[in-house]
Amino acid sequence: MNPGYLQISLGQLALAAGLLAVNLGLSFALKLGIERRLVVAAVRMSVQLLLIGYVLEWIFALDHPAPVLAVALAMAAMAGSAAVKRTSHRFAGIYWDSLVSVLGAAFLVSGVAFAGIIRVEPWYEPQYVIPMLGMVLGNTLNGISLGLENFMEGVAERRGFIESQLALGASRWEAAHPEIRRALRVGMIPTINSMMVMGLVSLPGMMTGQILGGVRPADAVRYQVVIMFMIASATALGMFCVVLLAFRRLFDAQHRLRTDRLVVASGSK
Amino acid sequence: MNEALLSAHGLGRRFGERWIWRGLDLAVGAGERVALTGPTGSGKSLLLRALSLLDAADEGEVRFLGRPIEPQAVPGFRAQVVYLAQRPALADSTVEEALRSAFAYSIHKGRRFDRERTVRLLGALGREAGLLGSPAKGLSGGEGQLVALVRALLLEPRVLLLDEFTASMDRDAAERAEGLVRDWLDAEAGRALVLTSHDPSQLDRLATRRADVRGAA
């Protein structure tokens, strides 16, 4: 069978690893002291990817929705916790809020896209579901951590102003509204910026991957357009969801601002 | 004594293991002018914040007109019992917009920003109407306190909780601000004041009784 692309043998992988001689050479010559970490990172990357390749092959062969869903959930859980790890503040329940938001937004948007737009048959076809959901999750993760970070930082920074509004009779929603808007606005900018320059400054990874795989460029770009719209809407939805959940944690039912529930994350800059 | 307008019952606040105050009872009757006293760090400001329900107390409760305040009634309560923080926080806008903003809250629906009255209040504080057009961020600490006081008075509260409300003002401005607070108290029977001040003579001028946060009353 001719798969439409050049297959890479293990020997060729080893040859490619030889390219790292540049990094190792530089590290030795200039005494950068990063050889060990470089080797560990290279080995980890190769092993992780080779393993994932086998796992995916196995899942593709099973042709059953359960393992596809399991992988999707595992990816979502990792995205949810990774989003929180990047923020500089924490509050009790932040991991749940992030997980719920990532899960809800990515699955809802992907579901609509797979079932209603691309019309994947069967609905769980891993060839489409896993890579596309992965991309949506990865970007939703960015949106969620950005939204959370902006909201928490804004609330902490403008605490005095928010409380002065509450003290004059503003409801918690009225007092928090400007912060929520600010967080969402700032959080949407990266998506807009990346759409602006897509195809000009950057050739997106999924599209180049498809082209390498033998897909006609004209078809590959259509997939890219669809995934960008999915990413844009899932990011906005996830961000909106997580900021609302954070709002409910940081502004309690008594219309109080609870910055006492915010702690600075250990290990953040 | 009159029926309490605002009262604290067995109020307690702590940081970690240390209680700032505990078992604190305080009753502010209609028409009363109460000075909170106690050394620095005894939690006078914290008590004012607790009375306006901006902080969660660790024990006890605050009542308004003898009744506990339900969560959904908190904005309405705060519209009548206005707390003024020592450091005023105004919006990043003109002074006029900062003064207007509170009238957009649903709890003040039906009320309108009265520009003439605002100008009169500013005049009583020795400020020109032109101040309304200047950016709120550019105000000095004392001017910020003046504007915050005007903003609170425009809402015509029943109780004012003032935390060092003239701390950043010069002598003249502070006297005028005190005069404005007295005018507000005298304008309608039943209005009450709770304040803290580092200036004992200010407490003499404004308060009719004192309550020590360590012993409460």
Side-chain angles (χ1 to χ4, degrees), chain A residues 27-65:
Chain A
S27 183
F28 275 123
L30 301 175
K31 299 199 168 59
L32 304 180
I34 52 171
E35 308 84 34
R36 261 185 72 89
R37 288 180 56 199
L38 193 66
V39 171
V40 170
V43 171
R44 271 191 64 157
M45 184 270 286
S46 312
V47 172
Q48 286 163 8
L49 286 181
L50 289 172
L51 276 178
I52 265 296
Y54 286 121
V55 170
L56 290 180
E57 288 238 328
W58 174 66
I59 288 170
F60 278 40
L62 285 177
D63 198 23
H64 190 275

Side-chain angles (χ1 to χ4, degrees), chain B residues 9-176:
Chain B
H9 303 263
L11 219 51
R13 184 73 205 276
R14 69 174 170 200
F15 285 119
E17 290 302 298
R18 187 172 77 96
W19 287 90
I20 308 295
W21 22 260
R22 191 175 194 187
L24 191 148
D25 294 313
L26 176 73
V28 181
E32 275 202 302
R33 304 162 187 202
V34 182
L36 292 181
T37 58
T40 304
S42 56
K44 299 186 292 288
S45 299
L46 279 177
L47 178 56
L48 287 181
R49 288 176 56 87
L51 287 174
S52 72
L53 301 180
L54 281 172
D55 284 341
D58 295 295
E59 272 181 9
E61 67 176 359
V62 174
R63 295 183 196 157
F64 185 57
L65 299 170
R67 279 189 297 274
I69 301 132
E70 298 295 320
Q72 70 275 13
V74 169
F77 163 76
R78 292 204 191 111
Q80 299 188 69
V81 179
V82 169
Y83 159 77
L84 216 56
Q86 180 176 350
R87 275 194 211 87
L90 299 166
D92 197 1
S93 63
T94 64
V95 169
E96 177 163 352
E97 282 159 31
L99 289 170
R100 272 178 189 277
S101 61
F103 290 90
Y105 308 150
S106 60
I107 202 72
H108 300 302
K109 202 162 55 189
R111 293 185 178 194
R112 285 191 45 227
F113 173 72
D114 185 342
R115 198 170 191 281
E116 262 177 52
R117 179 148 181 265
T118 309
V119 171
R120 270 206 312 279
L121 290 174
L122 285 174
L125 291 167
R127 307 287 135 166
E128 307 277 334
L131 185 68
L132 287 175
S134 48
K137 284 279 184 249
L139 299 180
S140 72
E143 280 177 318
Q145 284 197 312
L146 288 175
V147 171
L149 177 64
V150 168
R151 183 167 64 171
L153 291 175
L154 284 174
L155 298 175
E156 307 201 303
R158 284 178 78 171
V159 181
L160 269 182
L161 308 172
L162 302 179
D163 190 2
E164 301 277 2
F165 78 114
T166 61
S168 311
M169 297 182 195
D170 58 43
R171 190 67 252 154
D172 174 62
E175 272 170 24
R176 288 168 180 267

Side-chain angles (χ1 to χ4, degrees), chain A residues 185-210:
Chain A
R185 218 184 122 74
V186 174
M188 298 227 196
I189 288 173
T191 318
I192 295 174
N193 285 348
S194 91
M195 289 202 288
M196 284 288 182
V197 297
M198 193 149 283
L200 298 177
V201 188
S202 64
L203 280 185
M206 187 182 82
M207 182 183 108
T208 42
Q210 280 189 298

Side-chain angles (χ1 to χ4, degrees), chain A:
Chain A
M1 186 180 83
N2 180 5
Y5 55 87
L6 296 173
Q7 283 186 301
I8 295 176
S9 69
L10 287 175
Q12 287 169 302
L13 279 187
L15 269 181
L19 291 173
L20 279 188
V22 174
N23 308 52
L24 286 172
L26 273 177
S27 183
F28 275 123
L30 301 175
K31 299 199 168 59
L32 304 180
I34 52 171
E35 308 84 34
R36 261 185 72 89
R37 288 180 56 199
L38 193 66
V39 171
V40 170
V43 171
R44 271 191 64 157
M45 184 270 286
S46 312
V47 172
Q48 286 163 8
L49 286 181
L50 289 172
L51 276 178
I52 265 296
Y54 286 121
V55 170
L56 290 180
E57 288 238 328
W58 174 66
I59 288 170
F60 278 40
L62 285 177
D63 198 23
H64 190 275
V68 177
L69 272 180
V71 168
L73 279 174
M75 291 197 299
M78 279 187 274
S81 87
V84 174
K85 293 232 166 68
R86 293 187 197 171
T87 59
S88 58
H89 291 78
R90 302 284 151 79
F91 53 81
I94 192 172
Y95 281 95
W96 279 116
D97 291 351
S98 170
L99 183 63
V100 165
S101 307
V102 126
L103 213 63
F107 279 56
L108 190 68
V109 169
S110 305
V112 167
F114 291 148
I117 299 169
I118 310 177
R119 304 210 179 89
V120 179
E121 281 282 349
W123 62 268
Y124 57 86
E125 180 56 72
Q127 181 195 347
Y128 296 93
V129 169
I130 290 177
M132 292 183 87
L133 184 64
M135 291 190 63
V136 170
L137 281 171
N139 286 278
T140 309
L141 176 168
N142 284 335
I144 281 180
S145 68
L146 211 55
L148 264 179
E149 179 73 3
N150 288 328
F151 183 66
M152 294 192 293
E153 218 163 62
V155 162
E157 207 167 287
R158 282 175 285 279
R159 176 184 167 204
F161 177 59
I162 294 169
E163 288 198 323
S164 80
Q165 294 176 286
L166 291 170
L168 295 169
S171 68
R172 59 174 169 165
W173 176 253
E174 285 166 332
H177 197 209
E179 290 308 325
I180 293 175
R181 274 180 42 197
R182 193 192 306 255
L184 294 181
R185 218 184 122 74
V186 174
M188 298 227 196
I189 288 173
T191 318
I192 295 174
N193 285 348
S194 91
M195 289 202 288
M196 284 288 182
V197 297
M198 193 149 283
L200 298 177
V201 188
S202 64
L203 280 185
M206 187 182 82
M207 182 183 108
T208 42
Q210 280 189 298
I211 294 174
L212 277 174
V215 173
R216 287 175 47 220
D219 283 333
V221 294
R222 292 186 182 195
Y223 271 90
Q224 188 62 39
V225 169
V226 172
I227 194 85
M228 279 315 293
F229 288 142
M230 288 170 70
I231 284 171
S233 81
T235 304
L237 191 62
M239 199 158 53
F240 180 61
C241 185
V242 85
V243 169
L244 276 193
L245 291 171
F247 158 71
R248 292 188 62 88
R249 306 255 188 200
L250 297 181
F251 289 80
D252 69 14
Q254 310 253 20
H255 303 271
R256 283 187 298 232
L257 173 59
R258 302 297 303 267
T259 41
D260 56 315
R261 290 179 179 168
L262 270 186
V263 290
V264 174
S266 53
S268 78
K269 356 123 228 161

